[in-house]
């Protein structure tokens, strides 16, 4: 069988694409790319997807499971003033390392990099599970985020290697499903572990067996050929500058307004440093032989607009996932477990459109209408959520979440598919990692922006209530035996200290005296209305971005004739071709 080559060795450092005989670790000479590369059969792809799905479930479950356990963790380890760093550490390393994982996989191979990410994640999870103090936990969680960055990026790149763009939709829907399932399971599993004899440490340790299984599956099932490059050039300077610039931005956005006042020398210094580091990264990337994020990507209209749309999706998605449970716990007095269940409308609708649109795109190859409709649904959904304050029940919360979830499902994976199809094969990995990077960066920006809106409105509401109580106390006639109104005085004094309590746990808020609690809960209700309103212009900007994308049909169709024959042979126990050649035979080696 004639080998089909997906790009030259100088372009991607890879051997003949899947579907050709498996020849691993043998240098090949550069050859022109075949116009229609062969891909493995669906049976082979399904085997590979098992490992990818397990790895992604492991990494995403880690991100969602720790939120429920944080109050208990901080109570045991201490260092309450550094709570923000526990969450920020993983977010920082995950986001900043995303483009680096993509580029290194071009040079050293997908399988090796994927297993390195899994190994880092396993070691970090064990370290976090046995943490003895808060500094140990922060360092371990930061290392864990580094592994998660690879596990969140490489599956989409590997999927792009083994499935044509048009057929990729049906599998990308599964990746969206993993995200939704982990979002629901995380808080539930975290709450169960914290309340069980196992304790909070198993919030980190429980994902280790899953990661080990994923490692083994990838080792034995993923046999994609790879030819290493001779003397590969790694742009370590560019990687360091990109990592530093992204890290500075994330730290500023995560801690600004809380740990660091916005109007402070520290905030200005970090803002200036992020700008200088970004400029330096651009200059270095333009001259690098093997840039981490090739600047030529930004000349592609689809890549630029998909990245902008991904930033909007990240801001809305991460902001809503973080603050919706808080809204339900503070305002509606729900437990963490129940508040997690109340996000089911968001997750269920996300799964429906993520999987459904993937199969629809695989059939037609046309995708442009889906992200546009999705962004419209996000605009309507956040508008409905903004009316939650005037709705004594939870109807608007349920309907709003459903609409936003439908919109997320029509955007998140489709924007990646459109980018992968539009870019040349040699830029597929870098483009995929970059779009994922911008989505994660948007998530950090969304959490920070929504948090700033909530905290500022919350403090303003409580301050206004405290001033009104003091004014009423000053003009109110004496009522008590000592000449004071004890109820009014209790309210006035309680509200003066309520701002600090309001930023604590839901249990702390609901333990406040009833008059103070009513004011604080009402302030939370008004503050969250501001958060929901803030999502509307973000969704509008995302709608503008995806509306200007070119709806070029995705490349590739179903399996080629040779692959179809190989698949039928595999299903019937055959060798998949003469002499054991073809993708099926490659996967068996």
């Amino acid at each position: 069988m004639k080998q089909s080559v997906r790009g030259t060795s100088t372009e991607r450092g890879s051997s003949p694409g899947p579907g050709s005989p498996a020849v691993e670790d043998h240098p090949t000479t550069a050859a022109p790319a075949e116009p229609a590369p062969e891909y493995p059969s669906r049976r082979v792809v399904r085997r590979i997807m098992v490992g990818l799905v397990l790895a992604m479930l492991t990494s995403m479950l880690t991100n969602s499971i720790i939120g429920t356990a944080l109050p208990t963790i901080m109570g045991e380890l201490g260092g309450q003033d550094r709570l923000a760093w526990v969450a920020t550490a993983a977010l920082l390393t995950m986001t900043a390392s995303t483009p680096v994982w993509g580029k290194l996989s071009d040079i050293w191979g997908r399988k090796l990099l994927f297993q390195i990410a899994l190994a880092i994640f396993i070691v970090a999870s064990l370290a976090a599970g046995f943490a003895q103090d808060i500094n140990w936990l922060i360092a371990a969680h930061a290392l864990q985020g580094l592994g998660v960055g690879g596990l969140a990026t490489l599956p989409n790149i590997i999927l792009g290697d083994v499935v044509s763009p048009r057929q990729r939709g049906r599998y990308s829907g599964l990746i969206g499903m993993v995200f939704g399932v982990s979002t629901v399971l995380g808080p539930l599993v975290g709450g169960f572990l914290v309340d069980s004899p196992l304790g909070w440490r198993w919030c980190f340790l429980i994902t280790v067996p899953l990661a080990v299984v994923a490692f083994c599956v990838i080792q034995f099932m993923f046999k994609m050929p790879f030819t290493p490059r001779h003397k590969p050039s790694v742009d370590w300077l560019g990687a360091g500058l990109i990592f530093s610039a992204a890290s500075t931005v994330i730290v500023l956005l995560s801690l600004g307004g809380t740990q660091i006042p916005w109007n402070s020398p520290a905030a200005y210094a970090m803002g200036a440093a992020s700008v200088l580091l970004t400029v330096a990264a651009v200059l270095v990337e333009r001259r690098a032989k093997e840039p981490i994020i090739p600047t030529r990507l930004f000349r592609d209209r689809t890549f630029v607009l998909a990245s902008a749309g991904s930033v909007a999706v990240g801001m809305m998605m991460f902001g809503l996932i973080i603050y919706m449970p808080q809204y339900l716990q503070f305002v509606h007095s729900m437990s963490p477990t129940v508040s997690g269940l109340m996000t089911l409308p968001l997750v269920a609708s996300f799964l429906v459109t993520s999987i459904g649109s993937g199969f629809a795109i695989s059939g037609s190859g046309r995708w442009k209408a889906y992200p546009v409709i999705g962004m419209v649904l996000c605009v309507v959904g956040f508008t409905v959520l903004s009316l939650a304050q005037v709705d004594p029940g939870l109807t608007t919360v349920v309907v709003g979440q459903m609409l936003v979830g439908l919109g997320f499902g029509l955007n998140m994976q489709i924007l990646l598919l459109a980018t992968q199809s539009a870019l040349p094969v040699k830029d597929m990995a870098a483009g995929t990692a970059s779009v994922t990077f911008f989505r994660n960066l948007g998530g950090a920006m969304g959490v920070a922006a929504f948090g700033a809106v909530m905290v500022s409105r919350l403090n303003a509401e409580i301050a206004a209530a405290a001033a009104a109580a003091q004014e009423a106390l000053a003009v109110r006639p004496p009522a008590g035996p000592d000449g004071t109104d004890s109820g009014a005085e209790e309210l006035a004094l309680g509200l003066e200290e309520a701002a600090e309590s309001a930023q604590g746990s839901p249990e702390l808020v609901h333990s406040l005296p009833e008059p103070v609690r009513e004011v604080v809960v009402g302030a939370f209700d008004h503050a969250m209305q501001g958060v929901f309103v803030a999502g509307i212009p973000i969704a509008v900007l995302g709608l503008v971005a995806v509306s200007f994308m070119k709806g070029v049909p995705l490349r590739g169709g179903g399996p080629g004739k040779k692959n179809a024959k190989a698949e039928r042979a595999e299903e019937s126990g055959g060798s998949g071709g003469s002499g054991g050649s073809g993708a099926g035979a490659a996967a068996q080696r």
Side-chain angles (χ1 to χ4, degrees):
M1 178 184 295
K2 182 180 179 179
Q3 292 184 348
S4 62
V5 182
R6 302 186 60 205
T8 66
S9 60
T10 57
E11 289 176 330
R12 302 185 60 209
S14 61
S15 71
S20 56
V23 181
E24 299 190 31
D25 301 328
H26 292 287
T28 59
T29 58
E34 293 285 347
E38 293 183 14
Y39 295 95
S41 67
R42 289 177 182 173
R43 183 177 181 181
V44 175
V45 174
R46 286 196 294 266
R47 293 172 179 172
I48 296 173
M49 284 298 297
V50 172
L52 300 185
V53 166
L54 280 175
M56 293 200 72
L57 177 62
T58 301
S59 63
M60 293 180 179
L61 194 62
T62 299
N63 287 334
S64 59
I65 200 173
I66 190 176
T68 309
L70 267 180
T72 304
I73 294 173
M74 304 310 293
E76 180 174 329
L77 297 182
Q80 187 71 28
D81 58 322
R82 281 167 287 176
L83 182 147
W85 283 104
V86 178
T88 302
L91 179 66
L92 187 155
T93 52
M94 179 188 73
T95 303
S97 66
T98 299
V100 180
W101 284 108
K103 189 60 184 180
L104 291 183
S105 73
D106 268 345
I107 298 174
W108 293 333
R110 317 286 193 229
K111 181 176 180 178
L112 175 61
L113 265 292
F114 196 66
Q115 290 183 315
I116 288 175
L118 280 167
I120 291 174
F121 178 84
I122 292 170
V123 171
S125 297
L126 290 172
F130 292 102
Q132 300 300 309
D133 56 56
I134 191 62
N135 292 327
W136 181 340
L137 180 63
I138 291 173
H141 203 37
L143 184 63
Q144 198 175 40
L146 185 64
V148 170
L151 298 181
T153 306
L154 294 172
N156 282 303
I157 297 175
I158 293 173
L159 189 61
D161 286 330
V162 299
V163 183
S164 69
R166 182 165 169 177
Q167 295 299 313
R168 211 169 291 160
R170 68 180 69 207
Y171 299 102
S172 66
L174 293 176
I175 294 176
M177 181 186 70
V178 171
F179 175 83
V181 170
S182 64
T183 302
V184 175
L185 284 181
L188 298 179
V189 174
F192 170 78
L193 290 174
V194 169
D195 295 334
S196 74
L198 294 173
W200 64 264
R201 295 183 184 277
W202 276 91
C203 291
F204 298 100
L205 299 178
I206 195 173
T207 56
V208 172
L210 287 175
V212 172
V213 172
F215 188 98
C216 295
V217 170
I218 292 298
Q219 174 64 30
F220 294 108
M221 296 295 182
F222 185 41
K223 297 293 184 180
M224 184 176 178
F226 173 72
T227 302
R229 295 186 182 185
H230 295 288
K231 298 180 180 180
S233 175
V234 181
D235 180 22
W236 293 115
L237 177 58
L241 288 172
I242 292 172
F243 190 95
S244 300
S247 300
T248 307
V249 171
I250 293 170
V251 171
L252 177 60
L253 292 176
S254 300
L255 305 184
T258 55
Q259 304 291 315
I260 302 173
W262 289 113
N263 187 18
S264 67
Y268 295 141
M270 294 180 68
S274 64
V275 172
L276 292 175
L277 287 169
T278 301
V279 172
V282 171
L283 294 176
V284 169
E285 292 296 274
R286 292 184 65 181
R287 292 170 172 79
K289 181 180 179 181
E290 294 283 354
I292 300 298
I293 302 180
T295 54
R296 62 178 176 272
L297 294 179
F298 294 92
R299 294 195 292 267
D300 186 277
R301 177 176 174 178
T302 298
F303 170 80
V304 172
L305 294 176
S307 298
S310 296
V311 169
V313 170
M315 292 183 72
M316 294 184 291
M317 181 172 61
F318 284 94
L320 193 60
I321 289 173
I322 292 295
Y323 292 107
M324 177 58 74
Q326 290 195 30
Y327 169 73
L328 296 172
Q329 292 177 41
F330 280 105
V331 178
H332 294 279
S333 304
M334 294 182 180
S335 67
T337 301
V338 175
S339 67
L341 289 173
M342 280 300 298
T343 61
L344 279 175
L346 174 70
V347 176
S349 57
F350 175 88
L351 295 182
V352 169
T353 51
S354 178
I355 297 175
S357 62
F359 276 91
I361 290 173
S362 294
S364 66
R366 300 188 179 278
W367 57 269
K368 172 67 180 290
Y370 297 105
V372 173
I373 295 173
M375 287 297 182
V376 171
L377 289 173
C378 288
V379 173
V380 177
F382 274 101
T383 302
V384 172
L385 287 173
S386 69
L387 303 176
Q389 183 188 356
V390 298
D391 180 8
L394 294 172
T395 304
T396 54
V397 172
V398 172
V399 174
Q401 286 190 94
M402 289 180 62
L403 292 171
V404 174
L406 292 172
F408 290 163
L410 292 173
N411 273 278
M412 193 168 79
Q413 292 300 119
I414 293 178
L415 293 177
L416 268 177
L417 292 180
T419 302
Q420 290 177 336
S421 181
L423 293 176
V425 175
K426 66 177 181 179
D427 288 332
M428 191 273 295
T432 301
S434 298
V435 171
T436 306
F437 165 75
F438 285 118
R439 186 175 66 207
N440 292 339
L441 185 60
M445 295 168 62
V447 172
F450 287 175
V453 171
M454 188 189 74
V455 171
S456 62
R457 290 195 60 154
L458 178 64
N459 290 339
E461 290 281 342
I462 294 177
Q470 289 286 359
E471 183 179 350
L473 183 62
V475 301
R476 183 170 296 180
D482 56 352
T484 63
D485 187 333
S486 58
E489 186 175 13
E490 180 182 358
L491 176 61
L493 294 175
L495 288 175
E496 289 181 355
E497 303 175 355
E500 182 177 351
S501 300
Q503 297 181 38
S505 66
E507 292 80 8
L508 181 59
V509 170
H510 292 298
S511 67
L512 294 171
E514 185 170 351
V516 179
R517 182 175 68 249
E518 290 180 358
V519 173
V520 173
V521 170
F524 258 107
D525 203 2
H526 283 81
M528 284 304 301
Q529 183 189 26
V531 170
F532 297 142
V533 170
I536 299 174
I538 297 173
V540 171
L541 292 175
L543 175 60
V544 173
V546 299
S547 296
F548 283 96
M549 296 179 71
K550 292 182 178 179
V552 179
L554 301 180
R555 299 193 309 263
K561 184 176 181 180
K562 294 179 181 178
N563 285 15
K565 289 181 178 179
E567 183 174 348
R568 287 194 297 270
E570 279 190 15
E571 298 290 349
S572 62
S575 63
S578 175
S581 62
Q588 300 297 329
R589 283 218 282 269

